[in-house]
Amino acid sequence: MRYERKKEENSEVFYEVLENSTKAAEFSYQQKFDETGQVCEKFWIRRIHLEQKCLDYRYLDAILQFIQYKCWCSGCRSMYVRLSARNLMDIERYKRYGFYVIAQEEQTAVQGEVSCAYVLKYPLPREWEEMMNKKERLAPGHRMCAGCGATIGVRAVLRALHEEDHAVIANATGCLEVSSFMYPYSAWEDSYIHNAFENAGATLSGVETAYKALKKRGKLPKDENFKFIAFGGDGGTYDIGFQSLSGAMERGHDMVYVCYDNGAYMNTGIQRSSATPMFADTTTTPTGKESVGKMQNRKDLASIIADHDVAYVGQSTFTLNFNDLHKKAEKAIYTEGASFLNIMTPCPRGWRYNTEDIMEICRLAVETCYWPMFEVDHGKWNLTYEPKKKLPIEEFLRAQGRFKHLFKPGNEHLIEEFQKEVDRRWENLLYKCNR
């Protein structure tokens, strides 16, 4: 699913949501001023095309999640839709998402049948409004790729910081570091430390210890509060930086380590890492006549860190209106002791997807149970989202160019093997959460 900007009229921008090059929905973003001169921003869903044969109601869920995401990004406080309902089921599907009817327009007769037109409103949660009103702690203008998940993850995590609190950011070498910091210029609004690949955990744990010591001696203001957050890609977290991360977690420093997991060493040329999924095509595990990609399963780092008996571990990605990620980020930052967040952040270059499809890929990762959403809070495993209907892994793999060889004739057994591994890990997770 993708969207295209169609035209702009004054302060209103029109978009079309496309599915397989067929129009699936139309929506617009309006920025107007009210009587007090304040900006009044609204998202209007102009039409959702569900009558076409190639579309069915399962697209409504994806379309609404997509538009909710655009609404969240723009800072809108409400979302509206005009719906010509041929039956109550249309209305009920919207109500599932929290829409409610605010107006009913005149009835019209179409070929002898009466059709009602409704205007529905979706009030975005108050916490969304609070989040969007916060000052950005990662400034725009950095050099990260369009469609990159890393900066989306960083912004979501930093929004969980309370406005009165300060932060010290440690950043292991990687895409995020080289693109957001080039001395003396930085996109970071908080104190920032660039680390080598291997020592982000060690550096930040030292800073946190020094802060505690200075605070105890009265050399720092009592009314200032600092939080300590490290960011690292999977190469600097799963592999090269694992020893310092493990040490920091075992010692229980009051800090958060955030892994933006894009499944390979993307900054240096898309080489495989221990986070790379099985059968993925990378520059060091190329596919061809003699190779089907990486042969090993990916490392389950969140479970490994949980075994360090830390205060909090959370795994999430960009779906479910970001609520899951925001809640886990805030819990990780404000839970005393060592915390770890593992966030799947797709990479358009390495995964080879259309940049506008990032939200759909994240949704499919969760709905296929490739990337389950869970947390471990002081040793207690909790499943924070369980798909109503688990999708086959092909849905997630097909959207990415790095797995296109799996769909060639004769490779069906590779997809079956991938599915078995996903199922095995999912069953193990359910057992941990239910015991």
Coordinates of all heavy atoms in Angstrom, one line a residue, residues 99-161:
F99 N -14.4 5.8 16.0 CA -15.2 6.8 15.3 C -16.6 6.9 16.0 O -17.1 5.9 16.4 CB -15.3 6.5 13.8 CG -14.1 6.8 13.0 CD1 -13.1 5.8 12.8 CD2 -13.9 8.0 12.4 CE1 -12.0 6.1 12.1 CE2 -12.8 8.3 11.6 CZ -11.9 7.3 11.5
Y100 N -17.2 8.0 16.0 CA -18.6 8.2 16.4 C -19.3 9.2 15.4 O -18.6 10.1 14.9 CB -18.7 8.6 17.8 CG -18.1 9.9 18.2 CD1 -18.8 11.1 18.1 CD2 -16.8 9.9 18.6 CE1 -18.2 12.3 18.5 CE2 -16.2 11.1 19.0 CZ -16.9 12.3 18.9 OH -16.3 13.5 19.2
V101 N -20.6 9.0 15.3 CA -21.3 9.8 14.3 C -21.6 11.2 14.9 O -22.0 11.3 16.1 CB -22.7 9.2 14.0 CG1 -23.5 10.0 13.1 CG2 -22.5 7.8 13.4
I102 N -21.2 12.3 14.2 CA -21.5 13.6 14.6 C -22.5 14.3 13.8 O -23.0 15.4 14.1 CB -20.2 14.5 14.6 CG1 -19.6 14.6 13.2 CG2 -19.2 13.9 15.6 CD1 -18.4 15.5 13.2
A103 N -22.9 13.7 12.6 CA -23.9 14.3 11.7 C -24.5 13.2 10.8 O -23.7 12.3 10.4 CB -23.3 15.5 10.9
Q104 N -25.8 13.4 10.5 CA -26.4 12.5 9.5 C -27.0 13.4 8.5 O -27.9 14.2 8.8 CB -27.4 11.6 10.2 CG -28.1 10.7 9.2 CD -29.1 9.7 9.9 OE1 -29.0 9.5 11.1 NE2 -30.0 9.2 9.1
E105 N -26.6 13.2 7.2 CA -27.0 14.0 6.2 C -28.3 13.4 5.6 O -28.7 12.3 5.9 CB -25.9 14.2 5.1 CG -24.7 14.8 5.7 CD -23.6 14.9 4.6 OE1 -23.7 14.4 3.5 OE2 -22.6 15.6 5.0
E106 N -28.9 14.2 4.6 CA -30.2 13.7 4.1 C -30.1 12.4 3.4 O -29.0 12.0 2.9 CB -30.7 14.8 3.0 CG -29.8 14.9 1.8 CD -28.7 15.8 2.0 OE1 -28.5 16.3 3.2 OE2 -27.9 16.1 1.0
Q107 N -31.1 11.6 3.4 CA -31.2 10.3 2.8 C -31.4 10.5 1.3 O -32.1 11.4 0.8 CB -32.3 9.5 3.4 CG -32.1 9.2 4.9 CD -33.2 8.3 5.4 OE1 -34.3 8.3 4.9 NE2 -32.9 7.7 6.5
T108 N -30.8 9.6 0.5 CA -30.9 9.7 -0.9 C -31.3 8.3 -1.4 O -30.9 7.3 -0.9 CB -29.6 10.1 -1.6 OG1 -28.6 9.2 -1.2 CG2 -29.2 11.5 -1.2
A109 N -32.2 8.3 -2.4 CA -32.6 7.1 -3.0 C -31.8 6.7 -4.2 O -31.6 7.5 -5.1 CB -34.1 7.2 -3.4
V110 N -31.2 5.5 -4.2 CA -30.4 5.0 -5.3 C -31.0 3.7 -5.8 O -31.0 2.7 -5.1 CB -29.0 4.8 -4.9 CG1 -28.1 4.3 -6.1 CG2 -28.4 6.1 -4.3
Q111 N -31.7 3.8 -7.0 CA -32.3 2.6 -7.6 C -33.3 2.0 -6.6 O -33.3 0.8 -6.3 CB -31.3 1.6 -8.0 CG -30.4 2.1 -9.1 CD -29.3 1.1 -9.5 OE1 -29.2 0.0 -8.9 NE2 -28.7 1.3 -10.6
G112 N -34.0 2.8 -5.9 CA -35.1 2.4 -5.0 C -34.6 2.1 -3.6 O -35.4 1.8 -2.7
E113 N -33.2 2.1 -3.4 CA -32.7 1.8 -2.1 C -32.3 3.1 -1.4 O -31.9 4.0 -2.0 CB -31.5 0.9 -2.1 CG -31.8 -0.5 -2.7 CD -30.6 -1.4 -2.7 OE1 -29.5 -0.9 -2.1 OE2 -30.6 -2.5 -3.2
V114 N -32.5 3.1 -0.1 CA -32.2 4.3 0.7 C -30.8 4.2 1.2 O -30.5 3.2 1.8 CB -33.2 4.6 1.8 CG1 -32.8 5.8 2.7 CG2 -34.6 4.7 1.3
S115 N -30.0 5.3 1.0 CA -28.7 5.3 1.5 C -28.4 6.5 2.4 O -28.8 7.6 2.0 CB -27.7 5.3 0.3 OG -26.3 5.4 0.8
C116 N -27.9 6.3 3.5 CA -27.6 7.4 4.5 C -26.2 7.9 4.4 O -25.3 7.0 4.3 CB -28.0 7.0 5.9 SG -29.7 6.5 6.1
A117 N -26.0 9.2 4.5 CA -24.6 9.7 4.5 C -24.3 10.2 5.9 O -25.1 11.0 6.5 CB -24.4 10.8 3.5
Y118 N -23.2 9.7 6.5 CA -22.9 10.1 7.8 C -21.5 10.8 7.8 O -20.7 10.6 7.0 CB -22.7 8.9 8.7 CG -24.0 8.0 8.8 CD1 -24.2 7.0 7.9 CD2 -24.9 8.2 9.9 CE1 -25.4 6.2 8.0 CE2 -26.0 7.5 10.0 CZ -26.3 6.4 9.1 OH -27.4 5.7 9.2
V119 N -21.4 11.7 8.8 CA -20.0 12.3 9.1 C -19.6 11.7 10.5 O -20.3 11.9 11.4 CB -20.1 13.8 9.1 CG1 -18.7 14.4 9.5 CG2 -20.5 14.4 7.7
L120 N -18.5 11.1 10.5 CA -17.9 10.5 11.7 C -16.7 11.2 12.1 O -15.9 11.7 11.3 CB -17.7 9.0 11.5 CG -18.9 8.1 11.2 CD1 -19.0 8.0 9.7 CD2 -18.7 6.7 11.8
K121 N -16.4 11.3 13.4 CA -15.3 11.9 13.9 C -14.5 10.9 14.7 O -15.0 10.1 15.5 CB -15.7 13.1 14.8 CG -14.5 13.8 15.5 CD -14.9 15.0 16.3 CE -13.7 15.7 17.0 NZ -14.1 16.8 17.8
Y122 N -13.1 11.0 14.6 CA -12.2 10.1 15.4 C -11.4 11.1 16.3 O -10.5 11.7 15.7 CB -11.3 9.3 14.5 CG -10.4 8.4 15.3 CD1 -10.8 7.1 15.7 CD2 -9.1 8.8 15.6 CE1 -9.9 6.3 16.4 CE2 -8.2 8.0 16.3 CZ -8.6 6.8 16.7 OH -7.8 6.0 17.4
P123 N -11.7 11.1 17.6 CA -10.8 12.0 18.4 C -9.5 11.3 18.8 O -9.6 10.2 19.4 CB -11.7 12.2 19.7 CG -12.5 10.9 19.7 CD -12.7 10.5 18.3
L124 N -8.4 11.8 18.4 CA -7.2 11.2 18.7 C -7.0 11.2 20.2 O -7.3 12.2 20.9 CB -6.0 11.9 18.0 CG -6.1 11.9 16.5 CD1 -4.9 12.6 15.9 CD2 -6.0 10.4 16.0
P125 N -6.3 10.2 20.8 CA -6.2 10.1 22.2 C -5.4 11.3 22.8 O -4.6 11.9 22.1 CB -5.3 8.8 22.4 CG -5.6 8.0 21.2 CD -5.8 9.0 20.1
R126 N -5.8 11.7 24.0 CA -5.2 12.9 24.6 C -3.7 12.8 24.7 O -2.9 13.7 24.5 CB -5.8 13.1 26.0 CG -5.2 14.3 26.7 CD -5.9 14.6 28.0 NE -7.3 14.9 27.8 CZ -7.8 16.1 27.5 NH1 -6.9 17.1 27.4 NH2 -9.1 16.3 27.3
E127 N -3.2 11.5 24.9 CA -1.7 11.4 25.0 C -1.1 11.6 23.7 O 0.1 12.1 23.6 CB -1.4 10.0 25.5 CG -1.9 8.8 24.7 CD -3.2 8.3 25.2 OE1 -4.0 9.1 25.9 OE2 -3.5 7.1 25.0
W128 N -1.8 11.4 22.5 CA -1.2 11.8 21.2 C -1.0 13.3 21.2 O 0.0 13.8 20.7 CB -2.2 11.4 20.1 CG -2.1 9.9 19.7 CD1 -1.7 8.9 20.5 CD2 -2.4 9.4 18.5 NE1 -1.8 7.7 19.8 CE2 -2.2 8.0 18.6 CE3 -2.8 9.9 17.3 CZ2 -2.4 7.1 17.5 CZ3 -3.1 9.1 16.2 CH2 -2.9 7.7 16.3
E129 N -2.0 14.0 21.6 CA -1.9 15.5 21.6 C -0.8 16.0 22.4 O 0.0 16.8 22.0 CB -3.2 16.1 22.1 CG -3.3 17.6 22.0 CD -4.6 18.2 22.5 OE1 -5.6 17.4 22.4 OE2 -4.6 19.3 23.0
E130 N -0.6 15.4 23.6 CA 0.5 15.7 24.5 C 1.8 15.4 23.9 O 2.8 16.2 23.9 CB 0.3 15.0 25.8 CG -0.9 15.5 26.6 CD -1.1 14.6 27.9 OE1 -0.4 13.7 28.1 OE2 -2.1 15.0 28.6
M131 N 1.9 14.2 23.2 CA 3.1 13.8 22.6 C 3.5 14.8 21.5 O 4.7 15.2 21.3 CB 3.0 12.4 22.0 CG 3.1 11.3 23.0 SD 4.7 11.0 23.6 CE 4.4 9.6 24.6
M132 N 2.5 15.1 20.6 CA 2.8 15.9 19.4 C 3.1 17.4 19.8 O 3.8 18.1 19.0 CB 1.6 15.9 18.5 CG 1.4 14.6 17.8 SD 2.9 13.8 17.1 CE 3.4 15.1 16.0
N133 N 2.7 17.8 21.0 CA 3.0 19.2 21.4 C 4.4 19.3 22.0 O 4.8 20.4 22.4 CB 1.9 19.7 22.4 CG 0.6 20.0 21.7 OD1 0.6 20.3 20.5 ND2 -0.5 19.9 22.4
K134 N 5.0 18.2 22.3 CA 6.4 18.2 22.8 C 7.4 18.7 21.8 O 7.3 18.5 20.6 CB 6.8 16.8 23.3 CG 6.1 16.4 24.6 CD 6.7 15.0 25.0 CE 6.0 14.6 26.3 NZ 6.6 13.3 26.8
K135 N 8.4 19.4 22.3 CA 9.5 19.9 21.4 C 10.3 18.7 20.9 O 10.6 17.8 21.6 CB 10.4 20.8 22.2 CG 11.5 21.4 21.4 CD 12.5 22.2 22.2 CE 13.7 22.7 21.4 NZ 14.6 23.5 22.3
E136 N 10.6 18.7 19.6 CA 11.4 17.7 19.0 C 12.8 17.7 19.6 O 13.4 18.8 19.7 CB 11.5 17.9 17.5 CG 10.2 17.5 16.8 CD 10.0 16.0 16.6 OE1 10.9 15.2 17.1 OE2 9.0 15.6 16.1
R137 N 13.3 16.6 20.0 CA 14.7 16.5 20.5 C 15.7 16.0 19.4 O 16.9 15.9 19.7 CB 14.7 15.6 21.7 CG 14.0 16.2 22.9 CD 14.0 15.3 24.1 NE 13.2 15.8 25.2 CZ 13.7 16.1 26.4 NH1 15.0 16.1 26.6 NH2 12.9 16.5 27.4
L138 N 15.2 15.6 18.3 CA 16.0 15.3 17.1 C 15.6 16.2 16.0 O 14.5 16.1 15.4 CB 15.9 13.8 16.7 CG 16.8 13.4 15.5 CD1 18.2 13.3 16.0 CD2 16.3 12.1 14.9
A139 N 16.5 17.2 15.7 CA 16.2 18.2 14.8 C 16.1 17.7 13.3 O 16.8 16.7 13.0 CB 17.2 19.3 14.8
P140 N 15.3 18.2 12.5 CA 15.2 17.9 11.1 C 16.5 18.4 10.3 O 17.3 19.2 10.9 CB 14.0 18.5 10.5 CG 13.8 19.7 11.4 CD 14.3 19.3 12.8
G141 N 16.7 17.9 9.1 CA 17.8 18.4 8.3 C 19.0 17.4 8.4 O 20.0 17.7 7.8
H142 N 18.8 16.3 9.1 CA 19.9 15.3 9.1 C 19.9 14.6 7.7 O 19.1 14.8 6.9 CB 19.7 14.3 10.2 CG 18.3 13.7 10.3 ND1 17.9 12.8 9.4 CD2 17.3 14.0 11.2 CE1 16.6 12.5 9.7 NE2 16.2 13.2 10.7
R143 N 20.8 13.6 7.6 CA 21.0 13.0 6.2 C 20.6 11.5 6.2 O 21.0 10.8 5.3 CB 22.5 13.1 5.9 CG 23.0 14.6 5.8 CD 24.5 14.6 5.6 NE 25.2 14.1 6.7 CZ 26.4 13.5 6.7 NH1 27.1 13.5 5.6 NH2 27.0 13.1 7.8
M144 N 19.7 11.1 7.1 CA 19.2 9.8 7.0 C 18.3 9.6 5.7 O 17.7 10.6 5.2 CB 18.3 9.5 8.2 CG 19.1 9.5 9.5 SD 20.4 8.1 9.6 CE 19.3 6.8 10.2
C145 N 18.3 8.4 5.2 CA 17.5 8.1 4.0 C 16.0 8.3 4.1 O 15.5 8.1 5.2 CB 17.8 6.7 3.5 SG 19.5 6.3 3.2
A146 N 15.3 8.7 3.1 CA 13.9 8.7 3.1 C 13.4 7.3 3.3 O 13.9 6.3 2.7 CB 13.4 9.2 1.7
G147 N 12.4 7.2 4.1 CA 11.8 5.8 4.4 C 12.6 5.1 5.5 O 12.3 3.9 5.7
C148 N 13.6 5.7 6.1 CA 14.4 5.0 7.1 C 13.6 4.9 8.4 O 13.0 5.9 8.8 CB 15.7 5.7 7.3 SG 16.7 5.1 8.7
G149 N 13.7 3.7 9.1 CA 13.0 3.6 10.3 C 13.8 4.1 11.5 O 13.2 4.3 12.6
A150 N 15.1 4.3 11.4 CA 15.9 4.6 12.6 C 15.5 5.9 13.2 O 15.3 6.0 14.5 CB 17.4 4.6 12.2
T151 N 15.3 7.0 12.4 CA 15.0 8.3 13.0 C 13.5 8.3 13.5 O 13.2 9.0 14.5 CB 15.2 9.4 12.0 OG1 14.5 9.0 10.7 CG2 16.6 9.6 11.7
I152 N 12.7 7.5 12.9 CA 11.3 7.4 13.4 C 11.3 6.8 14.8 O 10.6 7.2 15.7 CB 10.4 6.5 12.5 CG1 10.3 7.1 11.1 CG2 9.0 6.3 13.1 CD1 9.6 6.3 10.1
G153 N 12.2 5.7 15.0 CA 12.3 5.1 16.3 C 12.9 6.1 17.3 O 12.4 6.1 18.5
V154 N 13.9 6.8 16.9 CA 14.5 7.8 17.8 C 13.6 8.8 18.3 O 13.4 9.1 19.5 CB 15.8 8.4 17.2 CG1 16.3 9.6 18.0 CG2 16.9 7.4 17.0
R155 N 12.8 9.4 17.4 CA 11.9 10.4 17.7 C 10.8 9.9 18.6 O 10.4 10.6 19.6 CB 11.2 11.0 16.4 CG 12.2 11.8 15.6 CD 11.5 12.2 14.3 NE 10.3 13.1 14.5 CZ 9.3 13.2 13.7 NH1 9.3 12.6 12.6 NH2 8.3 14.1 14.0
A156 N 10.3 8.7 18.4 CA 9.3 8.1 19.2 C 9.8 7.9 20.6 O 9.1 8.1 21.6 CB 8.8 6.8 18.6
V157 N 11.0 7.4 20.8 CA 11.6 7.1 22.1 C 11.8 8.5 22.8 O 11.5 8.6 24.0 CB 13.0 6.4 22.0 CG1 13.7 6.3 23.3 CG2 12.7 5.0 21.5
L158 N 12.4 9.5 22.2 CA 12.7 10.7 22.8 C 11.4 11.5 23.2 O 11.4 12.3 24.2 CB 13.5 11.6 22.0 CG 14.9 11.1 21.7 CD1 15.7 12.1 20.8 CD2 15.7 10.8 23.0
R159 N 10.3 11.2 22.5 CA 9.0 11.9 22.9 C 8.5 11.3 24.3 O 7.7 12.0 24.9 CB 7.9 11.6 21.8 CG 8.1 12.5 20.6 CD 6.9 12.2 19.7 NE 7.1 12.9 18.4 CZ 6.8 14.2 18.2 NH1 6.4 14.9 19.2 NH2 7.0 14.7 17.0
A160 N 9.0 10.2 24.7 CA 8.6 9.6 26.0 C 9.3 10.3 27.1 O 8.8 10.2 28.3 CB 8.9 8.1 26.0
L161 N 10.3 11.1 26.9 CA 10.9 11.9 27.9 C 10.0 13.0 28.4 O 9.3 13.6 27.6 CB 12.2 12.5 27.4 CG 13.5 11.7 27.3 CD1 14.5 12.3 26.5 CD2 14.0 11.4 28.7

